[in-house]
Amino acid sequence: MYLNIFTNQSYKMATLIYNIKELLQIRTNGETKICGADMRYLPSINNAYLIIEEGLIADFGAMDAMPQSEFDTQIDASGKIVLPAWCDSHTHLVYAGNREGEFVDRINGLSYEDIAKKGGGILNSAKKLQDTSEDEIFEQSKMRVEEIMSLGTGAVEIKSGYGLNPEAELKMLRVIKRLKETYPIAIKATFLGAHAIPLKYKQNPDTYIDEIINVMLPKIAEENLANFIDVFCETGYFNPAQTERIILAGEKFGLKAKIHVNQFTSIGGVQIGVKHKALSVDHLEIMTDTDMASLKESDTMPVALPACSYFLSIPYTPARKLIDAGLPLALATDFNPGSTPSGNMNFVVSTACIKMKMTPEEAINAATLNAAFAMNLEKTHGSITIGKKANIILTKRIPSLNFIPYAFGSNLIDTVFINGKPIN
Ligand code: NIG
Ligand code: FE
């Protein structure tokens, strides 16, 4: 029981973390996203305390103002940093099997596009997923969720898109639903039926789009299986007109768009996203001045996926250009078997600093509050704010916040707390 001497309010099941070397990303003004030059600033308190009560952040401040009281649990964080758990707004972590054969093909000279043209890539994962039972996919996906939680992720978006037929897309979304029911982290589901054109529709892709709109979407809405809708808007996949048709159909069922655009080519996907008030546009490795100008007119969150660029050796999203133009930016993993077989947000934050020249403060803003915004979780996640979920990372003893992206290969996490409880 904790009695706050300032408000005279008593709390149940309270945890105190004290002597925190630095408490990062404290937000007290209801900020929902951080844009442009403001991203360089990461509000923090040196020598701080944090109080967690019933799974939520109840109080925080400087040590010299710490209320004297009894707590159920007290943690000495001397020399350690506390920050909000990572928010990963773009993953495909429900899948069956892996694609390490294609990885070796790429080492031997084939490109991601070459492999896709041969019937590999997304279609390869779709075949595996269609042939795997829901229970088996659930078991494989559980391991990935547990791994990302241990790496400090406290909220995650997961897409369908390896089913590519009504039965298998629903199977994927039901697995996501079971993950939601099983784990304490926040999970948002995105319907990505338009991830690739199945072989049998190669000659008439619009017939597949009819199936997405007329068969899959109503069923998904009826079972309440998705929060968002996504399309892979890319040369050889879905063009802007097809993308627009699909996101308009999703809108009718209340699904906001989060779309894959500009991964390999700039073909107008950004403009379609902006026109339809997409929540986010993701990838953005190839950005024209027109794409930049369109984003400036919008509330859509740009999302960069540097681990994908790293793994495929494709260009990195021009983060400096976006941020210097005053735009916000979020970071996510893209965890999937083809282009990013890693859900490690610590690696993403490091890579954003090392390869995209984001400052550590910018990268942490991008991987917490801005990433929460990119999945509609900005009111409950992504910052140290009273009343938000107590999803936090307690680091090992480290010299400064800069050490987090600097020591890119080390595990710097001491404890991850989800809803105020330490996880192992
Ligand atoms: O975001 N680009 C489209 N989708 C995934 C890759 C999917 C795959 O290769 O399996 C991505 O990179
Ligand atoms: Fe993706």
Side-chain angles (χ1 to χ4, degrees):
M1 177 80 113
Y2 153 63
L3 185 68
N4 185 319
I5 53 167
F6 300 111
T7 60
N8 226 14
Q9 191 183 357
S10 64
Y11 296 93
K12 287 187 215 122
M13 290 307 295
T15 297
L16 168 72
I17 307 179
Y18 64 103
N19 283 343
I20 302 168
K21 180 188 175 86
E22 205 173 348
L23 178 63
L24 302 181
Q25 186 64 309
I26 53 165
R27 297 285 173 182
T28 52
N29 297 320
E31 294 92 333
T32 55
K33 62 177 170 180
I34 313 297
C35 305
D38 291 342
M39 286 185 71
R40 272 188 183 262
Y41 179 57
L42 191 67
S44 66
I45 303 175
N46 290 324
N47 200 19
Y49 72 90
L50 174 77
I51 294 167
I52 297 168
E53 189 259 332
E54 294 193 327
L56 303 178
I57 295 168
D59 194 9
F60 60 84
M63 277 305 286
D64 52 17
M66 187 174 81
Q68 296 303 311
S69 190
E70 294 285 305
F71 295 91
D72 300 285
T73 309
Q74 299 203 16
I75 297 163
D76 182 356
S78 296
K80 302 173 180 181
I81 288 179
V82 168
L83 68 158
W86 305 124
C87 296
D88 187 353
S89 68
H90 181 140
T91 82
H92 311 245
L93 69 73
V94 167
Y95 57 85
N98 285 288
R99 304 221 301 267
E100 69 273 27
E102 294 179 4
F103 167 63
V104 177
D105 290 343
R106 271 204 319 283
I107 293 172
N108 288 322
L110 291 187
S111 70
Y112 183 82
E113 288 102 319
D114 295 334
I115 292 165
K117 278 194 199 116
K118 288 198 325 178
I122 295 168
L123 295 181
N124 180 354
S125 286
K127 169 110 192 45
K128 288 192 168 98
L129 187 126
Q130 289 160 6
D131 294 344
T132 307
S133 72
E134 182 182 312
D135 284 345
E136 173 57 25
I137 298 164
F138 179 58
E139 287 308 317
Q140 293 185 22
S141 306
K142 273 172 74 178
M143 296 197 312
R144 299 183 195 115
V145 172
E146 287 169 21
E147 186 191 9
I148 65 167
M149 283 169 64
S150 72
L151 292 167
T153 295
V156 66
E157 178 257 23
I158 310 174
K159 301 172 193 296
S160 70
Y162 292 121
L164 305 184
N165 68 43
E167 184 202 343
E169 282 296 308
L170 283 160
K171 180 166 72 176
M172 284 190 82
L173 289 163
R174 290 186 188 122
V175 168
I176 301 173
K177 186 176 177 200
R178 285 169 69 180
L179 293 170
K180 268 190 210 187
E181 290 161 356
T182 308
Y183 293 101
I185 60 171
I187 297 180
K188 293 275 186 165
T190 299
F191 171 48
L192 175 56
H195 198 190
I197 297 156
L199 277 183
K200 72 169 185 175
Y201 292 105
K202 262 290 172 252
Q203 300 316 315
N204 47 355
D206 289 320
T207 312
Y208 180 54
I209 297 171
D210 292 341
E211 187 173 50
I212 290 176
I213 294 175
N214 301 323
V215 182
M216 299 189 208
L217 258 174
K219 188 85 185 118
I220 289 163
E222 187 189 308
E223 288 190 38
N224 199 13
L225 289 172
N227 305 104
F228 306 115
I229 189 154
D230 193 350
V231 180
F232 187 16
C233 181
E234 185 55 66
T235 309
Y237 294 82
F238 295 87
N239 65 34
Q242 293 167 328
T243 303
E244 184 166 37
R245 233 191 112 198
I246 296 163
I247 66 179
L248 274 171
E251 212 171 87
K252 294 209 178 81
F253 290 102
L255 306 183
K256 267 201 154 220
K258 286 170 63 63
I259 51 178
H260 283 73
V261 297
N262 295 41
Q263 182 175 6
F264 302 107
T265 53
S266 167
I267 56 170
V270 169
Q271 288 67 30
I272 294 297
V274 166
K275 178 174 167 196
H276 295 287
K277 301 192 170 15
L279 183 58
S280 71
V281 284
D282 303 29
H283 273 290
L284 310 175
E285 288 87 342
I286 306 300
M287 288 292 283
T288 64
D289 290 345
T290 317
D291 295 326
M292 294 286 301
S294 302
L295 280 178
K296 283 283 286 176
E297 316 265 283
S298 80
D299 279 328
T300 297
M301 178 63 72
V303 179
L305 309 166
C308 173
S309 298
Y310 174 85
F311 189 72
L312 293 185
S313 300
I314 60 172
Y316 287 85
T317 302
R320 277 272 53 91
K321 221 172 144 184
L322 288 153
I323 296 171
D324 294 345
L327 288 162
L329 185 66
L331 288 167
T333 62
D334 201 14
F335 195 177
N336 76 77
S339 73
T340 324
S342 163
N344 189 340
M345 281 296 289
N346 307 284
F347 177 78
V348 165
V349 167
S350 283
T351 308
C353 296
I354 297 163
K355 295 292 186 185
M356 292 157 63
K357 303 285 177 224
M358 290 173 74
T359 66
E361 291 84 354
E362 287 173 335
I364 294 172
N365 272 316
T368 56
L369 190 55
N370 283 359
F373 181 94
M375 49 182 159
N376 258 348
L377 286 173
E378 69 281 3
K379 295 209 173 76
T380 49
H381 293 74
S383 65
I384 304 294
T385 301
I386 291 176
K388 280 197 176 183
K389 297 278 182 194
N391 287 7
I392 60 170
I393 295 171
L394 171 66
T395 70
K396 294 176 181 161
R397 293 175 78 93
I398 55 173
S400 72
L401 82 91
N402 296 334
F403 199 79
I404 296 172
Y406 162 83
F408 71 94
S410 302
N411 179 1
L412 302 176
I413 296 179
D414 175 316
T415 311
V416 178
F417 294 82
I418 302 294
N419 299 333
K421 294 207 180 75
I423 57 139
N424 289 322

